[in-house]
Amino acid sequence: MPNEVNSQSAAVCAMAEHWPMIEALVGGTGAMRKAGEKLLPKFPAEDPDSYSARLSTATLFPAFSRTTEVLAAKPFSKPVHVEGIDDDMEELLEDIAGEGVTLHAFSAGLFLECTRMGLSGVLVDMPPKPDGVRTKADEAAAGLRPYFAVYRAPSILGWRAEGDTLTQLRLLETVMEPDGEWGEQCVEQVRVLTPGAWATYRKVRGADGREVWRVHEEGSTTLDRIPFVFFYGIREGFGAGRPPLLDLAFMNVEHYQSSSDQQTILHTARVPLLFVKGLGEKEAITLGAGSFVRTTSADADMKFVEHSGAAIEAGRQSLLDLEDRMRQTGAELLVQRPNTATATQTVSETEGSKSILQRIVEIFEESLEECLELMGAWLGKPDLEVEVSLFKDFGATNLSDQSMTTLLAARQAGIVSNETAFKGLQRRDIIPSDIPWDEEQARIAGQPAPEEAEDLDEDGIDVDRGDPTKPPKQPPAKQPEMA
């Protein structure tokens, strides 16, 4: 492996094996076609024109991208809750990246990236101080503030660490610079971070005409650590993450290939072959309405040969079965599984069963907390203890109506308490989550008993006695009988 500043480390190379496939799946049909034979292999002895025609009609069923979108949105169905920060930092949460993006929206996009690629990272950076800026007040006056910058998995080139502490980090960047009077050019550079220092490397042409990487800019920081935090899909170690739906990605590629095969055989089957026997070479064949073929040969025959359709139906059923397996694979992230605790660990009832997605969210919360604490360090608040909470009770939102019926039946049978049933309905978003149980109890105590309420109309008035504030209705006068 070349020992260049832009080379990927061995750990990154191992993770990067599946990234092109995932990016093509996320990119849709156009990206899959652009990948060509990497994701849609050519048939043996298939000529280039036939393959090109087959590739141009291949269409992706977007199972992977849609499933990751739906699952990644669940933790952000309610606002991100942050504790342990002051008013100054609270204000920064409304524009966490310096681009008008709130912490909630920023985190939602970052979580989607982790769900797809398995790894991402955030650099908590601070603009360099201009000359004359010395104090925190000067920084505020100059508009200097820390911000979050996302680095996707392919941009993380490698790192060195002691335990869980980074000692060196290399990040691939692309910057736009003016080119002439009107144009722009895209410049690639590598940012190298060490505790308390940074440098950027760019390619330059050496004396021998070859391009080499040289330091472009460098500087120092006021932090004694590298302000970078890893975010994971499935965490497999420090800086090592795996896409939680990698198996679904492989299935989606299989579906793409099988769908192309199905389209090919449908095209073949829809065009029947004309079989002719016993016609002379000079006897013309005209096909179409109002035409016929004449021959003097007693053994002549002509008919269309069509596909039986058995292979078509088998292919269709195979695609449907594969789609069912993809749905099941995506849903497995929401299935609650028992926690594995050692003999020295204690697991509470609420911690006992968690889905894969819930555990991913918990690790994501820890990474967000570390980012916000780094932001506090840039602001001269190194002792912050931030706590971030995301919505993790999305398992309840997927429960069927039958579970609600079962819950209410259990309350009627006296198996669960009123409060447990009340909170169960709150988890299903049937009762607003901001209503405390004790306040609801007071409301229940002040309302009529259920058997009394049955005799009240929609205005709360007894249908038998009428409104006590109004005189009772008089019966209609008796009309004289007609003779």
Side-chain angles (χ1 to χ4, degrees):
M1 181 180 295
N3 190 18
E4 295 284 352
V5 70
N6 69 325
S7 61
Q8 290 181 329
S9 67
V12 173
C13 285
M15 291 186 290
E17 180 182 357
H18 307 301
W19 291 344
M21 174 185 68
I22 291 174
E23 292 193 296
L25 288 171
V26 173
T29 297
M32 295 292 286
R33 291 177 181 175
K34 190 175 181 180
E37 294 184 43
K38 294 178 181 177
L39 297 177
L40 187 66
K42 187 185 288 188
F43 294 147
E46 185 178 17
D47 64 82
D49 290 341
S50 297
Y51 175 76
S52 179
R54 185 163 63 93
L55 179 65
S56 65
T57 58
T59 305
L60 175 69
F61 177 68
F64 178 81
S65 61
R66 298 281 173 81
T67 302
T68 51
E69 284 176 1
V70 171
L71 292 176
K74 290 185 178 297
F76 300 93
S77 57
K78 295 184 179 180
V80 178
H81 183 67
V82 181
E83 294 182 356
I85 60 175
D86 57 17
D87 293 341
D88 293 339
M89 286 190 62
E90 189 79 38
E91 185 177 349
L92 294 181
L93 301 188
E94 298 302 313
D95 184 10
I96 199 68
E99 299 173 348
V101 179
T102 65
L103 177 66
H104 182 91
F106 179 91
S107 302
L110 180 59
F111 192 82
L112 175 60
E113 180 72 14
C114 295
T115 305
R116 287 174 169 171
M117 304 294 286
L119 183 72
S120 191
V122 170
L123 177 65
V124 186
D125 207 358
M126 182 87 167
K129 295 180 182 180
D131 295 337
V133 175
R134 300 180 181 277
T135 65
K136 295 295 179 184
D138 295 337
E139 291 179 1
L144 300 181
R145 44 148 293 182
Y147 61 92
F148 289 2
V150 174
Y151 284 81
R152 300 182 63 245
S155 299
I156 303 173
L157 299 175
W159 63 89
R160 292 177 180 173
E162 295 179 359
D164 288 352
T165 302
L166 288 169
T167 58
Q168 185 192 82
L169 178 67
R170 292 179 293 117
L171 302 171
L172 183 64
E173 299 178 338
T174 301
V175 295
M176 300 299 296
E177 292 188 344
D179 184 17
E181 188 173 2
W182 313 112
E184 286 183 326
Q185 63 175 339
C186 185
V187 180
E188 191 176 76
Q189 68 181 21
V190 176
R191 182 173 298 273
V192 179
L193 301 171
T194 54
W198 62 270
T200 56
Y201 287 74
R202 291 187 181 181
K203 279 185 177 179
V204 297
R205 196 169 297 279
D208 57 357
R210 299 191 316 176
E211 288 187 330
V212 294
W213 290 90
R214 293 285 184 266
V215 174
H216 174 66
E217 290 181 326
E218 57 185 338
S220 60
T221 68
T222 57
L223 296 185
D224 58 355
R225 50 181 164 164
I226 297 176
F228 186 87
V229 180
F230 288 107
F231 286 77
Y232 305 92
I234 301 294
R235 191 182 192 275
E236 296 187 325
F238 181 71
R242 174 170 54 87
L245 289 173
L246 183 58
D247 289 336
L248 176 60
F250 282 116
M251 289 182 190
N252 207 169
V253 173
E254 180 187 352
H255 188 281
Y256 172 70
Q257 296 168 351
S258 182
S259 177
S260 175
D261 295 344
Q262 187 74 356
Q263 285 180 312
T264 302
I265 195 171
L266 278 173
H267 175 72
T268 302
R270 285 170 178 171
V271 183
L273 298 176
L274 178 64
F275 172 76
V276 179
K277 182 182 76 169
L279 290 183
E281 294 182 358
K282 294 183 179 180
E283 292 176 298
I285 298 176
T286 302
L287 299 178
S291 63
F292 67 92
V293 177
R294 174 189 291 179
T295 181
T296 58
S297 174
D299 297 328
D301 189 16
M302 179 184 294
K303 60 186 176 182
F304 281 103
V305 180
E306 295 188 87
H307 200 285
S308 68
I312 297 175
E313 178 58 29
R316 172 182 172 277
Q317 187 60 49
S318 176
L319 285 172
L320 293 175
D321 292 343
L322 184 54
E323 288 169 12
D324 286 339
R325 281 164 37 213
M326 287 193 290
R327 292 188 190 97
Q328 181 180 355
T329 300
E332 283 178 356
L333 261 67
L334 295 170
V335 177
Q336 292 188 336
R337 302 170 185 237
N339 199 358
T340 53
T342 64
T344 58
Q345 291 176 323
T346 301
V347 181
S348 67
E349 292 182 3
T350 57
E351 298 288 325
S353 297
K354 292 181 182 177
S355 67
I356 295 174
L357 189 59
Q358 286 173 321
R359 298 183 187 189
I360 293 173
V361 172
E362 289 180 347
I363 296 175
F364 188 89
E365 288 174 335
E366 295 173 0
S367 296
L368 266 184
E369 291 167 358
E370 189 176 349
C371 286
L372 291 171
E373 288 168 1
L374 284 170
M375 178 174 274
W378 277 116
L379 296 172
K381 305 167 185 177
D383 299 325
L384 286 180
E385 293 185 4
V386 181
E387 183 175 346
V388 175
S389 299
L390 300 180
F391 176 64
K392 296 188 287 294
D393 205 11
F394 33 77
T397 63
N398 295 284
L399 298 176
S400 65
D401 292 340
Q402 182 63 38
S403 70
M404 183 183 71
T405 304
T406 303
L407 176 67
L408 296 178
R411 168 62 200 98
Q412 270 190 329
I415 299 174
V416 298
S417 65
N418 287 342
E419 184 176 1
T420 298
F422 179 82
K423 291 182 178 179
L425 295 174
Q426 282 187 319
R427 291 179 64 217
R428 289 161 178 78
D429 288 331
I430 297 172
I431 298 175
S433 59
D434 58 349
I435 299 179
W437 164 241
D438 54 354
E439 291 184 9
E440 191 65 16
Q441 272 187 307
R443 295 190 186 101
I444 294 172
Q447 69 184 14
E451 58 274 10
E452 296 176 5
E454 291 178 358
D455 297 331
L456 302 182
D457 63 14
E458 59 182 5
D459 296 321
I461 298 173
D462 193 314
V463 294
D464 295 327
R465 300 179 182 178
D467 190 346
T469 62
K470 297 180 180 179
K473 294 181 180 180
Q474 299 295 327
K478 187 176 181 180
Q479 299 295 328
E481 296 182 0
M482 298 294 292

